[in-house]
Amino acid sequence: MAKVTLTQFLTLDGVVQAPGAPDEDRDGGFEHGGWLVPYADEDMGRFVAEGFGSADAFLLGRRTYQIFAAYWPQVTDPDNPVASRLNTLPKYVASRTLDSVGWHNSTLLGGDAVREVAALKERLEGEVQIHGSGNLARSLMAHGLIDEYRLLTYPVILGVGKRLFDGGAVPTALERTGGGTTSTGVVIGTYRAAGRPGHGSFDLEE
């Protein structure tokens, strides 16, 4: 069975919308696209490169797939740690609106994304990585299909935008398995899903 991992860039208030460019995603009149860029440094690049190095396949939502497919095939340096993996490894695209996917080694998953991904986990081995793809990630989180979270939290608050852990998220306990802090203050945390959260109380015993 495959392990599904999710890598997300998010602000302190949980926004994941359009981290990489002003026009990446303007849904809802979002005007803060590109908020990640001022915090990019070698530490972040090293973490991203190491993450891509462990991938065996990728699982992407429609919007992220289209953004990646328009950019990464143009990066042909075989030593680029991101392009070399994205351009060669299998890519599975969860979408009900796309009719076809033309990027090399891409497969369209039509129909119900949750059912398709559950079947994919059973069929594949190794690590299947989700990058971005917030809508898809939220659907899979609600059904317990994400095994590991790699969250890069940036020291910026936006107040508006799409959030990863939006209303309706299933209560889940996470076990921290790694992480660190970059030179620009980005907090990196890697977490393993650990079932439902426990509860307790600090009330004084009589």
Side-chain angles (χ1 to χ4, degrees):
M1 176 181 285
K3 177 176 76 170
V4 174
T5 65
L6 171 66
T7 298
Q8 280 281 5
F9 306 129
L10 63 163
T11 67
L12 279 174
D13 55 337
V15 175
V16 296
Q17 188 171 352
D23 294 322
E24 191 173 288
D25 180 2
R26 290 191 178 272
D27 282 0
F30 190 70
E31 298 180 348
H32 302 288
W35 50 265
L36 170 157
V37 178
Y39 301 95
D41 64 358
E42 291 184 1
D43 295 330
M44 186 187 97
R46 186 162 42 249
F47 177 83
V48 170
E50 290 173 356
F52 273 90
S54 66
D56 295 288
F58 298 98
L59 174 62
L60 305 171
R62 175 191 60 81
R63 188 188 298 272
T64 300
Y65 172 80
Q66 290 178 319
I67 291 171
F68 281 12
Y71 180 84
W72 287 109
Q74 301 178 63
V75 182
T76 58
D77 180 0
D79 294 326
N80 184 293
V82 177
S84 61
R85 309 296 282 177
L86 281 173
N87 288 328
T88 57
L89 291 177
K91 293 166 284 291
Y92 298 92
V93 186
S95 174
R96 291 181 174 177
T97 57
L98 292 177
D99 296 320
S100 62
V101 286
W103 192 3
H104 172 69
N105 215 1
S106 294
T107 300
L108 182 62
L109 302 178
D112 181 81
V114 170
R115 184 161 50 245
E116 293 280 356
V117 173
L120 198 67
K121 285 189 69 171
E122 293 287 342
R123 189 166 73 249
L124 300 180
E125 298 291 337
E127 183 175 320
V128 179
Q129 295 187 351
I130 304 170
H131 293 268
S133 308
N135 290 336
L136 173 62
R138 282 187 289 272
S139 296
L140 300 183
M141 285 190 294
H143 290 83
L145 290 173
I146 294 178
D147 302 299
E148 185 173 283
Y149 298 79
R150 297 167 184 170
L151 306 179
L152 289 82
T153 304
Y154 289 74
V156 60
I157 296 170
L158 297 181
V160 296
K162 300 174 184 176
R163 289 169 167 80
L164 178 60
F165 302 109
D166 215 341
V170 173
T172 304
L174 300 176
E175 176 188 355
R176 189 173 188 268
T177 59
T181 305
T182 73
S183 69
T184 58
V186 179
V187 177
I188 300 172
T190 301
Y191 306 91
R192 181 185 300 123
R196 293 291 183 260
H199 300 86
S201 172
F202 285 112
D203 289 346
L204 296 175
E205 296 183 4
E206 295 183 359

PDB file of all heavy atoms in Angstrom, residues 17-27 29-37:
ATOM      1  N   GLN A  17      -3.738  29.879  -0.321  1.00  0.00           N
ATOM      2  CA  GLN A  17      -4.063  30.346  -1.674  1.00  0.00           C
ATOM      3  C   GLN A  17      -2.909  31.110  -2.313  1.00  0.00           C
ATOM      4  O   GLN A  17      -2.327  32.007  -1.704  1.00  0.00           O
ATOM      5  CB  GLN A  17      -5.308  31.238  -1.625  1.00  0.00           C
ATOM      6  CG  GLN A  17      -5.847  31.629  -3.001  1.00  0.00           C
ATOM      7  CD  GLN A  17      -7.202  32.314  -2.908  1.00  0.00           C
ATOM      8  OE1 GLN A  17      -7.806  32.366  -1.822  1.00  0.00           O
ATOM      9  NE2 GLN A  17      -7.698  32.816  -4.014  1.00  0.00           N
ATOM     10  N   ALA A  18      -2.562  30.726  -3.531  1.00  0.00           N
ATOM     11  CA  ALA A  18      -1.621  31.456  -4.385  1.00  0.00           C
ATOM     12  C   ALA A  18      -0.327  31.861  -3.693  1.00  0.00           C
ATOM     13  O   ALA A  18       0.031  33.039  -3.674  1.00  0.00           O
ATOM     14  CB  ALA A  18      -2.307  32.698  -4.964  1.00  0.00           C
ATOM     15  N   PRO A  19       0.435  30.927  -3.150  1.00  0.00           N
ATOM     16  CA  PRO A  19       1.680  31.326  -2.487  1.00  0.00           C
ATOM     17  C   PRO A  19       2.776  31.783  -3.436  1.00  0.00           C
ATOM     18  O   PRO A  19       3.643  32.561  -3.048  1.00  0.00           O
ATOM     19  CB  PRO A  19       2.108  30.048  -1.753  1.00  0.00           C
ATOM     20  CG  PRO A  19       1.499  28.945  -2.556  1.00  0.00           C
ATOM     21  CD  PRO A  19       0.195  29.475  -3.041  1.00  0.00           C
ATOM     22  N   GLY A  20       2.753  31.307  -4.704  1.00  0.00           N
ATOM     23  CA  GLY A  20       3.914  31.475  -5.550  1.00  0.00           C
ATOM     24  C   GLY A  20       3.908  32.592  -6.570  1.00  0.00           C
ATOM     25  O   GLY A  20       4.961  32.928  -7.109  1.00  0.00           O
ATOM     26  N   ALA A  21       2.741  33.203  -6.855  1.00  0.00           N
ATOM     27  CA  ALA A  21       2.701  34.242  -7.890  1.00  0.00           C
ATOM     28  C   ALA A  21       1.405  35.040  -7.781  1.00  0.00           C
ATOM     29  O   ALA A  21       0.379  34.509  -7.347  1.00  0.00           O
ATOM     30  CB  ALA A  21       2.796  33.616  -9.286  1.00  0.00           C
ATOM     31  N   PRO A  22       1.418  36.312  -8.185  1.00  0.00           N
ATOM     32  CA  PRO A  22       0.233  37.160  -8.065  1.00  0.00           C
ATOM     33  C   PRO A  22      -1.000  36.610  -8.777  1.00  0.00           C
ATOM     34  O   PRO A  22      -2.119  36.749  -8.281  1.00  0.00           O
ATOM     35  CB  PRO A  22       0.685  38.491  -8.686  1.00  0.00           C
ATOM     36  CG  PRO A  22       2.157  38.517  -8.470  1.00  0.00           C
ATOM     37  CD  PRO A  22       2.602  37.091  -8.636  1.00  0.00           C
ATOM     38  N   ASP A  23      -0.825  35.995  -9.943  1.00  0.00           N
ATOM     39  CA  ASP A  23      -1.971  35.523 -10.718  1.00  0.00           C
ATOM     40  C   ASP A  23      -2.211  34.024 -10.597  1.00  0.00           C
ATOM     41  O   ASP A  23      -2.946  33.434 -11.383  1.00  0.00           O
ATOM     42  CB  ASP A  23      -1.783  35.886 -12.204  1.00  0.00           C
ATOM     43  CG  ASP A  23      -1.803  37.389 -12.424  1.00  0.00           C
ATOM     44  OD1 ASP A  23      -2.595  38.072 -11.746  1.00  0.00           O
ATOM     45  OD2 ASP A  23      -1.027  37.880 -13.276  1.00  0.00           O
ATOM     46  N   GLU A  24      -1.617  33.406  -9.616  1.00  0.00           N
ATOM     47  CA  GLU A  24      -1.744  31.962  -9.452  1.00  0.00           C
ATOM     48  C   GLU A  24      -3.181  31.545  -9.174  1.00  0.00           C
ATOM     49  O   GLU A  24      -3.665  30.537  -9.689  1.00  0.00           O
ATOM     50  CB  GLU A  24      -0.835  31.513  -8.303  1.00  0.00           C
ATOM     51  CG  GLU A  24      -0.654  30.028  -8.173  1.00  0.00           C
ATOM     52  CD  GLU A  24       0.389  29.710  -7.117  1.00  0.00           C
ATOM     53  OE1 GLU A  24       1.587  29.946  -7.361  1.00  0.00           O
ATOM     54  OE2 GLU A  24      -0.007  29.239  -6.031  1.00  0.00           O
ATOM     55  N   ASP A  25      -3.883  32.308  -8.353  1.00  0.00           N
ATOM     56  CA  ASP A  25      -5.271  31.985  -8.006  1.00  0.00           C
ATOM     57  C   ASP A  25      -5.916  33.239  -7.432  1.00  0.00           C
ATOM     58  O   ASP A  25      -5.714  33.578  -6.277  1.00  0.00           O
ATOM     59  CB  ASP A  25      -5.316  30.837  -6.993  1.00  0.00           C
ATOM     60  CG  ASP A  25      -6.744  30.469  -6.588  1.00  0.00           C
ATOM     61  OD1 ASP A  25      -7.698  31.065  -7.120  1.00  0.00           O
ATOM     62  OD2 ASP A  25      -6.895  29.572  -5.737  1.00  0.00           O
ATOM     63  N   ARG A  26      -6.724  33.898  -8.253  1.00  0.00           N
ATOM     64  CA  ARG A  26      -7.385  35.131  -7.813  1.00  0.00           C
ATOM     65  C   ARG A  26      -8.845  34.897  -7.420  1.00  0.00           C
ATOM     66  O   ARG A  26      -9.619  35.849  -7.303  1.00  0.00           O
ATOM     67  CB  ARG A  26      -7.296  36.194  -8.907  1.00  0.00           C
ATOM     68  CG  ARG A  26      -5.881  36.747  -9.105  1.00  0.00           C
ATOM     69  CD  ARG A  26      -5.880  37.971 -10.003  1.00  0.00           C
ATOM     70  NE  ARG A  26      -4.560  38.551 -10.178  1.00  0.00           N
ATOM     71  CZ  ARG A  26      -4.030  39.466  -9.368  1.00  0.00           C
ATOM     72  NH1 ARG A  26      -4.711  39.897  -8.319  1.00  0.00           N
ATOM     73  NH2 ARG A  26      -2.823  39.954  -9.603  1.00  0.00           N
ATOM     74  N   ASP A  27      -9.231  33.660  -7.204  1.00  0.00           N
ATOM     75  CA  ASP A  27     -10.600  33.373  -6.769  1.00  0.00           C
ATOM     76  C   ASP A  27     -10.966  34.212  -5.552  1.00  0.00           C
ATOM     77  O   ASP A  27     -10.165  34.388  -4.630  1.00  0.00           O
ATOM     78  CB  ASP A  27     -10.738  31.894  -6.404  1.00  0.00           C
ATOM     79  CG  ASP A  27     -10.874  30.995  -7.617  1.00  0.00           C
ATOM     80  OD1 ASP A  27     -10.853  31.513  -8.750  1.00  0.00           O
ATOM     81  OD2 ASP A  27     -11.013  29.770  -7.425  1.00  0.00           O
ATOM     82  N   GLY A  29     -11.409  37.354  -5.495  1.00  0.00           N
ATOM     83  CA  GLY A  29     -10.742  38.647  -5.511  1.00  0.00           C
ATOM     84  C   GLY A  29      -9.452  38.673  -4.715  1.00  0.00           C
ATOM     85  O   GLY A  29      -9.003  39.748  -4.273  1.00  0.00           O
ATOM     86  N   PHE A  30      -8.811  37.519  -4.554  1.00  0.00           N
ATOM     87  CA  PHE A  30      -7.583  37.423  -3.756  1.00  0.00           C
ATOM     88  C   PHE A  30      -6.477  38.271  -4.372  1.00  0.00           C
ATOM     89  O   PHE A  30      -6.140  38.115  -5.543  1.00  0.00           O
ATOM     90  CB  PHE A  30      -7.142  35.962  -3.669  1.00  0.00           C
ATOM     91  CG  PHE A  30      -6.037  35.706  -2.688  1.00  0.00           C
ATOM     92  CD1 PHE A  30      -6.259  35.795  -1.323  1.00  0.00           C
ATOM     93  CD2 PHE A  30      -4.767  35.351  -3.125  1.00  0.00           C
ATOM     94  CE1 PHE A  30      -5.242  35.537  -0.406  1.00  0.00           C
ATOM     95  CE2 PHE A  30      -3.747  35.095  -2.228  1.00  0.00           C
ATOM     96  CZ  PHE A  30      -3.984  35.183  -0.860  1.00  0.00           C
ATOM     97  N   GLU A  31      -5.890  39.164  -3.574  1.00  0.00           N
ATOM     98  CA  GLU A  31      -4.898  40.118  -4.070  1.00  0.00           C
ATOM     99  C   GLU A  31      -3.512  39.931  -3.453  1.00  0.00           C
ATOM    100  O   GLU A  31      -2.642  40.782  -3.615  1.00  0.00           O
ATOM    101  CB  GLU A  31      -5.379  41.548  -3.794  1.00  0.00           C
ATOM    102  CG  GLU A  31      -6.687  41.907  -4.504  1.00  0.00           C
ATOM    103  CD  GLU A  31      -7.131  43.319  -4.205  1.00  0.00           C
ATOM    104  OE1 GLU A  31      -6.557  43.939  -3.278  1.00  0.00           O
ATOM    105  OE2 GLU A  31      -8.048  43.814  -4.898  1.00  0.00           O
ATOM    106  N   HIS A  32      -3.290  38.812  -2.779  1.00  0.00           N
ATOM    107  CA  HIS A  32      -2.025  38.633  -2.058  1.00  0.00           C
ATOM    108  C   HIS A  32      -1.163  37.528  -2.650  1.00  0.00           C
ATOM    109  O   HIS A  32      -0.265  37.005  -1.970  1.00  0.00           O
ATOM    110  CB  HIS A  32      -2.301  38.341  -0.584  1.00  0.00           C
ATOM    111  CG  HIS A  32      -3.094  39.414   0.104  1.00  0.00           C
ATOM    112  ND1 HIS A  32      -2.572  40.642   0.420  1.00  0.00           N
ATOM    113  CD2 HIS A  32      -4.390  39.432   0.518  1.00  0.00           C
ATOM    114  CE1 HIS A  32      -3.500  41.376   1.021  1.00  0.00           C
ATOM    115  NE2 HIS A  32      -4.614  40.671   1.088  1.00  0.00           N
ATOM    116  N   GLY A  33      -1.413  37.149  -3.889  1.00  0.00           N
ATOM    117  CA  GLY A  33      -0.648  36.082  -4.507  1.00  0.00           C
ATOM    118  C   GLY A  33       0.848  36.365  -4.516  1.00  0.00           C
ATOM    119  O   GLY A  33       1.278  37.499  -4.745  1.00  0.00           O
ATOM    120  N   GLY A  34       1.638  35.336  -4.243  1.00  0.00           N
ATOM    121  CA  GLY A  34       3.084  35.489  -4.184  1.00  0.00           C
ATOM    122  C   GLY A  34       3.625  35.783  -2.804  1.00  0.00           C
ATOM    123  O   GLY A  34       4.803  36.152  -2.659  1.00  0.00           O
ATOM    124  N   TRP A  35       2.812  35.586  -1.767  1.00  0.00           N
ATOM    125  CA  TRP A  35       3.222  35.938  -0.409  1.00  0.00           C
ATOM    126  C   TRP A  35       4.393  35.088   0.104  1.00  0.00           C
ATOM    127  O   TRP A  35       5.096  35.491   1.023  1.00  0.00           O
ATOM    128  CB  TRP A  35       2.038  35.830   0.559  1.00  0.00           C
ATOM    129  CG  TRP A  35       1.277  34.531   0.479  1.00  0.00           C
ATOM    130  CD1 TRP A  35       0.142  34.291  -0.245  1.00  0.00           C
ATOM    131  CD2 TRP A  35       1.596  33.293   1.133  1.00  0.00           C
ATOM    132  NE1 TRP A  35      -0.269  32.985  -0.082  1.00  0.00           N
ATOM    133  CE2 TRP A  35       0.604  32.353   0.755  1.00  0.00           C
ATOM    134  CE3 TRP A  35       2.612  32.894   1.992  1.00  0.00           C
ATOM    135  CZ2 TRP A  35       0.610  31.030   1.211  1.00  0.00           C
ATOM    136  CZ3 TRP A  35       2.627  31.582   2.458  1.00  0.00           C
ATOM    137  CH2 TRP A  35       1.633  30.670   2.072  1.00  0.00           C
ATOM    138  N   LEU A  36       4.623  33.933  -0.497  1.00  0.00           N
ATOM    139  CA  LEU A  36       5.735  33.072  -0.065  1.00  0.00           C
ATOM    140  C   LEU A  36       7.099  33.597  -0.498  1.00  0.00           C
ATOM    141  O   LEU A  36       8.097  33.437   0.216  1.00  0.00           O
ATOM    142  CB  LEU A  36       5.500  31.661  -0.623  1.00  0.00           C
ATOM    143  CG  LEU A  36       6.582  30.597  -0.541  1.00  0.00           C
ATOM    144  CD1 LEU A  36       5.930  29.218  -0.616  1.00  0.00           C
ATOM    145  CD2 LEU A  36       7.625  30.689  -1.664  1.00  0.00           C
ATOM    146  N   VAL A  37       7.144  34.228  -1.669  1.00  0.00           N
ATOM    147  CA  VAL A  37       8.416  34.506  -2.344  1.00  0.00           C
ATOM    148  C   VAL A  37       9.422  35.265  -1.481  1.00  0.00           C
ATOM    149  O   VAL A  37      10.619  34.921  -1.470  1.00  0.00           O
ATOM    150  CB  VAL A  37       8.155  35.240  -3.676  1.00  0.00           C
ATOM    151  CG1 VAL A  37       9.466  35.579  -4.369  1.00  0.00           C
ATOM    152  CG2 VAL A  37       7.275  34.376  -4.587  1.00  0.00           C
TER     153      VAL A  37
END
